[in-house]
Structure formats: C-alpha cells, structure tokens
C-alpha cells in the first residue's frame, strides 16, 4: 500500500498503469467497519482501490466540532493495509485549500433540507472536496454509505449535473450489534451516552414498524420517533424527519417511498441515522 500527501505524488501513482479500473472510497478517517465495508466492496469491483483520509474543514460549520473530530492516522493505515487497499491520499488542509483557493461547488435544491438546513455550508464543503477527489483520482467507481443518505443524493446529483465520468456505488449502513449505526463520532460518546445513543435506531425501527403496520401519517411517524428520543436522557433533537427520499421534502402521507431520518445530539455529540422505506 502506498501513502501520499501531495496531489502530484498521488496523480503519478494513480496513472502508473492507466488501464487499471480504480475504485475510490472517500473518508474522514478514524475508520470503522462501516468504512471497511465500502473498501471491501471497492476491492471486489475494481482492479485497484484508493482511499482518501481528509477531515475536510470546508464541511464543518462549527469549529469546535472540527477540532473534536476523532483522528488516528496510524491505526487507519493499518486497517487499510489489512483490507488490501493500494493507494491512500492523506493531504493537509493547506494542500486541498491553499491560501489562494476560491472555487466551490453548490448543489442547489436538495441541500436546502435536513442536514443542509441545520448545517449551513455543509454540503457546499462536501461537494467541493468530493469534486476535487474525483478530479485527482479519476476513479471508475466511488463508494458512499447510505448512512449519509442526503450526502449520497447530493453527490449523485453533482455527478449528473457536472458530467463526472464515474459510477456512484451506494453501500448499506453497517451497525453495531445493538443497532447503533457505526460512526467515527461514536468514539466521542461516554459509556452512558453510548448506551443512550441506541435511541436513534429504536426510534427509526419503531416508526418503520408502525409504517409497515399501516400507519401512513408522516406526522404520527415523526411523533413516534420524537417520543422515543425525548424519553431518553442526555438527548436533544436537531431534526426528526419523514421525507421524500429524492427531494427530502417532508411528507404528509407516506404512499410508497419514505426516508425516515434524524439528527440527535446525545450528550453533545451529534449523531445521524436513517432507514429508507422503499
Ligand atoms: P466519513 O468518514 O464519516 O465521512 O464516512 C466516509 C464514508 O463512509 C461515507 O460515504 C459514509 O457514508 C460511509 N459510512 C460512514 N459510516 C458508515 C456506516 N456505519 N455504514 C456504511 N457506511 C458508512
């Protein structure tokens, strides 16, 4: 496995054998089994696999959140080596955004809702850095988790709008044995908060069960989820949503598809999760 910091070194290694099919897995590091699932799928479907590890300042609307984001490059590189990754890019913020930097990518409508509404500028930062990753790696396929459902939709829209020549592959959410979605941010939970964090999955599955039993009122489904979160200590709701999975507009009645999703602070740590009903 080769590890590079500069764009020039990465590009050179990427193009050493141009006929190979490359898969790319963009990450912010502090890797877990959810990331490794993406890597595994990338290894199955491509000749070579590249991973980026970059905590992207442009997608953090809160400097404190950026500072507290967990990092452990050495451990990440060990995991990626074991997983059979070929190339890792670990640029510094100055390499990605030099002092003269002034170009950003804005995906307009779907970024106005949910994560975009509560984290202004977040998706602009995501779309910008992912565009740069696509340009630097020029992968045949890029892998993203369903855990960040809106991010996945934003990237797909951007790829279509800007004619990026690659396939976006969506991977299902990997969960801990009690249902908590794996996330680098889980490392910031105290043991009690970690216990309480199960409420996200509990709330989502309760709403899903109600929906599958015939409850079509989105308001009732939001109510079911809200009650479960509010009855759990240490929690604060950012949003609870029953939305259309392509437009992310809130639904009144669930007819066929719905994205049940939420962002919850558990003891100050912001966690997101979702279940797609198709
Ligand atoms: P992050 O490092 O959190 O930016 O995540 C990098 C990629 O891994 C994104 O495409 C995420 O959606 C994906 N990912 C993060 N957590 C999970 C998970 N628990 N299951 C599946 N994919 C995940």
């Amino acid at each position: 496995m080769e590890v590079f910091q500069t764009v020039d070194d990465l590009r050179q290694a990427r193009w050493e054998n141009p006929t190979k099919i490359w898969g790319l897995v963009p990450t912010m590091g502090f890797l877990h089994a959810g990331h490794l699932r993406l890597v595994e799928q990338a290894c199955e479907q491509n000749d070579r696999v590249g991973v980026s590890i970059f905590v992207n300042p442009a997608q953090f609307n809160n400097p404190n959140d950026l500072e507290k984001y967990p990092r452990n490059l050495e451990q990440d590189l060990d995991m990626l080596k074991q997983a059979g990754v070929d190339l890792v890019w670990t640029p510094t913020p100055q390499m990605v955004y030099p002092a003269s930097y002034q170009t950003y990518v804005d995906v307009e409508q779907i970024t106005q809702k949910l994560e975009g509404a509560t984290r202004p500028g977040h998706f602009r930062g995501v779309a910008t850095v992912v565009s740069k990753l696509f340009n630097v790696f020029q992968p045949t396929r890029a892998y993203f988790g369903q855990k960040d459902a809106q991010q996945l939709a934003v990237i797909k829209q951007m790829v279509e709008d800007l004619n990026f020549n690659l396939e976006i592959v969506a991977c299902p959410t990997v969960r801990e044995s009690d249902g908590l979605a794996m996330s680098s941010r889980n490392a910031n939970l105290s043991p009690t908060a970690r216990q309480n964090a199960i409420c996200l999955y509990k709330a989502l599955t309760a709403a899903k069960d109600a929906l599958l039993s015939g409850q079509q009122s989105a308001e009732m489904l939001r109510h079911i989820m809200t009650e479960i979160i509010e009855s759990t200590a240490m929690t604060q709701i950012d949003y609870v949503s029953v939305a259309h999975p392509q437009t992310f507009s809130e639904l009144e009645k669930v007819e066929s598809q719905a994205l049940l999703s939420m962002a919850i602070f558990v003891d100050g740590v912001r966690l997101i999760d979702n279940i797609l009903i198709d």
Side-chain angles (χ1 to χ4, degrees):
M1 185 175 85
E2 294 181 292
V3 183
F4 297 106
Q5 272 208 309
T6 70
V7 172
D8 285 349
D9 288 347
L10 191 276
R11 276 219 164 113
Q12 199 180 337
R14 158 67 179 89
W15 289 105
E16 253 164 24
N17 188 339
T19 60
K20 301 279 187 201
I21 303 291
W22 278 86
L24 169 66
V25 182
T27 82
M28 296 207 297
F30 210 78
L31 303 178
H32 51 68
H35 296 112
L36 294 183
R37 173 74 201 271
L38 271 61
V39 169
E40 199 180 305
Q41 193 161 341
C43 288
E44 279 166 18
Q45 297 178 333
N46 303 277
D47 302 328
R48 292 276 187 275
V49 170
V51 173
S52 60
I53 300 178
F54 179 59
V55 183
N56 175 29
Q59 72 187 69
F60 284 79
N61 52 317
N62 176 344
N64 194 31
D65 188 26
L66 172 62
E67 196 188 319
K68 279 205 258 165
Y69 198 84
R71 295 162 168 90
N72 188 338
L73 184 59
E74 207 179 314
Q75 181 183 293
D76 289 346
L77 294 179
D78 277 351
M79 289 166 83
L80 295 177
K81 203 169 170 184
Q82 295 247 335
V85 166
D86 300 281
L87 204 59
V88 185
W89 191 35
T90 62
T92 64
Q94 291 72 28
M95 286 169 185
V96 178
Y97 304 110
S100 59
Y101 195 83
Q102 48 189 306
T103 304
Y104 292 87
V105 179
D106 246 322
V107 178
E108 291 185 348
Q109 286 151 34
I110 53 172
T111 58
Q112 301 304 309
K113 312 276 168 43
L114 305 179
E115 287 296 289
T118 62
R119 301 184 69 189
H122 170 66
F123 285 123
R124 181 182 191 247
V126 170
T128 300
V129 81
V130 172
S131 304
K132 286 174 70 88
L133 291 170
F134 288 172
N135 282 330
V136 172
F137 272 95
Q138 305 216 352
T140 312
R141 299 187 185 89
Y143 295 79
F144 292 87
Q146 179 63 37
K147 153 120 191 320
D148 298 275
Q150 196 179 5
Q151 169 174 280
L152 179 60
V154 169
I155 301 299
K156 282 183 175 166
Q157 186 69 46
M158 179 187 84
V159 164
E160 193 180 320
D161 290 349
L162 297 184
N163 309 103
F164 279 105
N165 188 20
L166 79 165
E167 181 191 346
I168 299 299
V169 182
C171 300
T173 303
V174 178
R175 298 179 180 282
E176 302 283 358
S177 54
D178 62 3
L180 177 68
M182 289 196 180
S183 165
S184 308
R185 291 174 191 276
N186 294 350
N188 289 342
L189 295 168
S190 68
T192 316
R194 166 65 187 84
Q195 279 299 315
N196 295 359
I198 303 167
C199 68
L200 279 84
Y201 186 63
K202 271 192 191 155
L204 289 167
T205 45
K208 177 186 169 185
D209 290 347
L211 179 53
L212 297 181
S213 316
Q215 178 55 266
Q216 286 185 290
S217 157
E219 197 183 328
M220 271 311 298
L221 297 171
R222 284 188 284 267
H223 178 70
I224 289 168
M225 294 193 280
T226 302
E227 279 217 313
I228 292 175
I229 303 298
E230 284 182 344
S231 64
T232 309
M234 298 175 149
T235 61
Q236 193 196 324
I237 293 177
D238 195 352
Y239 64 79
V240 164
S241 163
V242 179
H244 188 282
Q246 274 93 47
T247 64
F248 299 95
S249 297
E250 290 302 315
L251 296 173
E252 274 183 34
K253 187 177 178 196
V254 181
E255 304 278 5
S256 53
Q257 292 181 314
L259 181 75
L260 312 177
S261 71
M262 57 180 61
I264 309 292
F265 290 96
V266 182
D267 199 20
V269 179
R270 189 174 185 278
L271 302 177
I272 59 170
D273 199 356
N274 70 79
I275 292 183
L276 180 64
I277 309 287
D278 206 349

